[in-house]
Amino acid sequence: MATKAFAMSQKFCDLQSPMEPDFVSAQHLTGTTVMAVQFDGGVVIGADSRTTSGAYVANRVTDKLTRITDKIYCCRSGSAADTQAIADIVAYHLSVHQLEIGEEPLVKTAAKIFQDLCYTNRDQMSAGIICAGWDRKEGGQVYCIPLGGMCLRQPVTIGGSGSTYIYGYVDAIYKPNMAQNACLEFTKNAISLAIQRDGSSGGVVRLASITEAGIERQTILHNDLPKFSVI
Amino acid sequence: MSSIGTGYDLSASQFSPDGRVFQVEYAQKAVENSGTVVAIRGKDGIVFGVEKLVMSKLYEKGSNKRIFHIDRHIGMAVAGLLADARQIADIAREEAANYRSDFGGPIPSAVLADRVSMYMHAYTLYSFVRPFGCSVVLSSYDEDGPHMHVIEPSGVAYGYYGCAIGKGKQAAKTEIEKIKMKEMSMHELVNEVARIVYTIHDEVKDKAFELELSWVGKGTEGLHQFIPAEVQEEAEKLAKKSLEDSDSDEDM
């Protein structure tokens, strides 16, 4: 991809100090595992907390669950810069929109704006986003907006490099109409499993549940994560 | 009116000494000279009735409609200069389409009313354009119920339960205030609206008219539609009958 090629070329173009390690100049990526699940009354979102530049962990306590509005959040994976910029722009558009319509914006609207930005600029960006939240018309909703800029509503979705290791787990465990606490357990377990196997995911697990009452966040430190394997 | 034509009415960019913008008031006069629009918001829907004055027997029936569809879920009825109103309808359609494209859903009619009123107001600020000579009524129905707004040439917009614009508006408003619209169903409203339009129509001054009827509400699943022919026929029959009854009640 264009951004990866650029990162690679940086290594070869550095005439000043050819012995410099790659992480000095490599772009920040949120390697990541992110996840969102819908339940009756809201959504649960979760993410790991590792940001890498090359092999260096630039931030081991990242917050990848970013506020767009009080009841709409996004889970960011891919380029940290790209996703932060997009989230800022979407949050701006929604705040103006909220003034115009006089009520809390719909999750669908946020997802549409994400999609517009991700699709129109697909060649310049590397951003995999999950947009999830609660609104009074449709309740809890999860929309995934992966690399090319498609937008799809799903009851559960996973993203980031670590997600590839947990597709089987998610497929096996997910049942429709799970309660809020079951969704929190499920998300925590899934992200923990991904952290075990993916080098680009790690740190703590950040969880949040968004309902009509707003957002409730929690952080689970690495030692408190569930242990699955003895090998 | 005392200060008509005293030099402050030549452009919309001028106030009069008593704080009026005459061009806007003249635009409102254009609305008052047009056939009446009666619009009533009931329990779960809104009905438009337009007294479309027919100037010549040679006109094709059903031409020059004064009710427009804006997107699928919003209706617009107009009074005043029809050519100006068509421009407003075009703008409203563009706004609704852009909203869909930007935000992924249908535009709430309150938001559309805001935007149309901003647009109409803009034309009251400059000397090189004139204000729109029409008032428009916007209606829609969604999960929060029916919504109705009227936008005047000055650019002010209000939400209404019942409204009338055009030449017979005073008489129509008197009739509208008599009925308990908040509990009425869409079918009941159709008959009321038809009756009111027939009642206020002045047989002496304006000869022929066509009654245009449209509705939007729970019964149409939120889509704005022209009223089916059978329903319209029934409503007009009842309206004519109630006219005859009230005529025969008059003392000679």
Side-chain angles (χ1 to χ4, degrees):
Chain A
M1 239 184 309
T3 46
K4 283 213 176 80
F6 180 74
M8 291 289 285
S9 71
Q10 286 289 77
K11 278 191 251 180
F12 298 101
C13 292
D14 205 350
L15 297 169
Q16 298 291 84
S17 35
M19 294 313 289
E20 216 173 61
D22 71 338
F23 57 72
V24 175
S25 46
Q27 70 163 292
H28 282 44
L29 296 168
T30 46
T32 303
T33 311
V34 289
M35 179 167 167
V37 194
Q38 173 195 328
F39 63 91
D40 181 19
V43 293
V44 163
I45 55 176
D48 74 304
S49 70
R50 180 171 288 184
T51 307
T52 51
S53 46
Y56 171 64
V57 176
N59 186 352
R60 61 188 175 98
V61 287
T62 322
D63 184 7
K64 301 179 189 177
L65 306 176
T66 304
R67 178 189 177 278
I68 305 295
T69 71
D70 280 347
K71 293 180 191 155
I72 304 174
Y73 273 67
C74 74
C75 311
R76 302 181 293 111
S77 69
S79 155
D82 289 348
T83 54
Q84 281 176 12
I86 297 169
D88 277 351
I89 295 171
V90 175
Y92 161 74
H93 277 301
L94 275 185
S95 76
V96 173
H97 181 64
Q98 181 162 1
L99 290 174
E100 191 182 19
I101 61 175
E103 53 186 25
E104 286 178 342
L106 302 177
V107 187
K108 183 163 68 161
T109 309
K112 183 74 173 76
I113 302 174
F114 268 117
Q115 176 183 25
D116 255 349
L117 290 165
C118 290
Y119 176 70
T120 317
N121 300 299
R122 55 187 285 166
D123 292 337
Q124 270 98 300
M125 285 204 301
S126 169
I129 288 170
I130 301 175
C131 177
W134 180 92
D135 64 50
R136 70 181 181 90
K137 286 210 175 128
E138 296 274 330
Q141 300 146 76
V142 171
Y143 295 87
C144 71
I145 304 122
L147 250 38
M150 94 162 174
C151 176
L152 182 64
R153 182 178 177 191
Q154 291 180 304
V156 60
T157 192
I158 52 180
S161 59
S163 69
T164 57
Y165 304 101
I166 52 172
Y167 272 100
Y169 179 76
V170 169
D171 284 346
I173 302 296
Y174 175 73
K175 303 267 175 305
N177 301 322
M178 293 203 300
Q180 179 176 353
N181 283 331
C183 289
L184 283 162
E185 257 322 278
F186 173 41
T187 308
K188 183 175 65 170
N189 290 341
I191 296 178
S192 304
L193 285 165
I195 287 174
Q196 282 293 99
R197 289 292 181 179
D198 180 30
S200 308
S201 301
V204 305
V205 171
R206 297 201 190 276
L207 290 176
S209 63
I210 308 172
T211 61
E212 182 172 3
I215 187 165
E216 269 174 53
R217 302 195 61 148
Q218 42 175 303
T219 303
I220 301 146
L221 301 183
H222 196 91
N223 283 350
D224 302 329
L225 292 178
K227 291 170 183 41
F228 288 96
S229 165
V230 290
I231 52 160
Chain B
M1 275 207 292
S2 49
S3 34
I4 297 176
T6 39
Y8 300 105
D9 61 345
L10 297 175
S11 80
S13 64
Q14 285 218 307
F15 275 110
S16 76
D18 44 355
R20 295 152 74 173
V21 181
F22 279 108
Q23 280 295 311
V24 174
E25 296 193 16
Y26 296 162
Q28 283 159 347
K29 279 254 166 290
V31 176
E32 283 164 28
N33 289 338
S34 115
T36 319
V37 172
V38 172
I40 306 183
R41 172 181 155 182
K43 191 174 50 172
D44 53 11
I46 294 170
V47 176
F48 284 157
V50 178
E51 174 202 17
K52 188 172 77 182
L53 299 170
V54 177
M55 297 301 162
S56 158
K57 291 198 186 77
L58 297 173
Y59 285 154
E60 184 184 352
K61 190 170 186 297
S63 61
N64 291 336
K65 284 206 182 320
R66 290 176 46 195
I67 299 180
F68 301 89
H69 298 291
I70 311 292
D71 209 318
R72 291 182 296 191
H73 62 294
I74 297 181
M76 173 190 275
V78 305
L81 302 177
L82 191 48
D84 285 12
R86 287 205 186 107
Q87 170 95 318
I88 302 292
D90 267 349
I91 290 297
R93 285 168 179 162
E94 213 181 295
E95 286 290 346
N98 287 340
Y99 188 98
R100 253 190 210 277
S101 162
D102 288 340
F103 301 119
I107 187 168
S109 68
V111 175
L112 182 61
D114 241 2
R115 295 195 182 182
V116 171
S117 68
M118 274 195 272
Y119 184 78
M120 288 177 73
H121 172 249
Y123 282 73
T124 68
L125 297 170
Y126 308 105
S127 60
F128 51 84
V129 290
R130 62 163 176 80
F132 286 96
C134 58
S135 284
V136 301
V137 192
L138 291 171
S139 70
S140 74
Y141 178 83
D142 60 25
E143 309 86 4
D144 300 320
H147 307 280
M148 185 159 81
H149 298 267
V150 174
I151 305 131
E152 299 171 5
S154 58
V156 301
Y158 288 108
Y160 286 90
Y161 281 100
C163 72
I165 49 180
K167 58 173 47 157
K169 73 169 184 223
Q170 279 307 109
K173 278 186 191 164
T174 321
E175 289 296 318
I176 293 173
E177 278 163 16
K178 289 182 198 159
I179 62 182
K180 287 198 165 70
M181 60 205 85
K182 290 187 196 178
E183 290 129 40
M184 293 173 85
S185 72
M186 284 163 70
H187 271 93
E188 288 172 323
L189 282 178
V190 173
N191 294 334
E192 283 301 319
V193 166
R195 181 186 63 80
I196 294 174
V197 175
Y198 269 88
T199 308
I200 59 167
H201 175 68
D202 190 336
E203 274 299 325
V204 176
K205 285 198 199 141
D206 315 304
K207 310 217 172 38
F209 80 101
E210 270 175 46
L211 175 62
E212 264 182 72
L213 287 171
S214 78
W215 57 9
V216 60
K218 197 154 172 215
T220 66
E221 288 173 27
L223 299 174
H224 176 253
Q225 295 170 345
F226 283 95
I227 280 173
E230 332 81 64
V231 181
Q232 174 139 6
E233 241 181 83
E234 186 58 35
E236 295 204 55
K237 216 170 23 170
L238 284 170
K240 286 179 186 147
K241 187 166 177 303
S242 93
L243 255 188
E244 285 163 14
D245 288 347
S246 68
D247 280 349
S248 67
D249 283 346
E250 281 170 27
D251 293 331
M252 292 303 281

